[in-house]
Amino acid sequence: MNITPHSYAESFIAEDSVKLAARARGEELGTVDASHGAGAYLRHLAHQLNAQSVVEIGTGSGVGSLWILEGMISSGTLTSIDDEMEHTSIAKLAMADADIPQSRFRFITNPVMDVMTKLTDRAYDLVVYRHSAEDLSFAISEAHRILRSGGVFVIDNFFGGAKVQDPAQRDPKTIALREAGKAIKADTDSWVSSLIPTGDGLLLATKL
């Protein structure tokens, strides 16, 4: 069997039974989640940042939350926001399955952009965005406000199912992702950015 470098990277660090169960529940509901490889990378990034305070926008099944929490310091707190109560419910189940203390996470079910505006300035080490592409312009601005200097903003699933790199694709989601990438890349006074082909693409932007 021919295994591509991408598929090898995706499976390089296996998911445990708790994450697999959470992912399966998410698939039943149609949640948007981090891939195996993207989750492992986010764990690594949280560890590198010595992350204490992280915001995740788009809770999904809780798979991404589990990966991120593993990389954060033991006293760290993850704030995960989703506008679907069903997503929050299954994510809480994933936390219980993993025996994660309730003090380490807070799940908020409300319109995500409304919640984001209420978060504290320069208080977060990492912001992971896995939500509506059409809200990205606003989310980029808010992420810059709430991140500390040296904190990182991540757009997960940036490739949009391999559409972003194809200029012929002009649907609203793809255009929004493409424009977000251009805006971050061009704003060299605010961000140092890079794009890695893990999962469905991770756009990384470190706040200057």
Side-chain angles (χ1 to χ4, degrees), residues 46 95-96 117 139 147-148 187:
M95 298 299 111
T117 61
L147 280 167
R148 64 167 173 81
D187 190 1

Side-chain angles (χ1 to χ4, degrees), residues 60-118:
S61 71
V63 169
S65 306
L66 291 169
W67 278 114
I68 293 166
L69 281 162
E70 286 181 6
M72 296 172 65
I73 64 172
S74 59
S75 60
T77 303
L78 171 72
T79 299
S80 190
I81 310 161
D82 204 289
D83 49 18
E84 296 288 344
M85 183 61 74
E86 283 185 308
H87 298 177
T88 305
S89 296
I90 63 171
K92 286 181 178 178
L93 182 57
M95 298 299 111
D97 287 350
D99 294 322
I100 295 175
Q102 196 162 354
S103 60
R104 295 213 57 210
F105 64 89
R106 60 172 179 161
F107 288 156
I108 302 173
T109 310
N110 268 313
V112 295
M113 293 300 102
D114 290 349
V115 177
M116 207 173 176
T117 61
K118 296 177 173 64

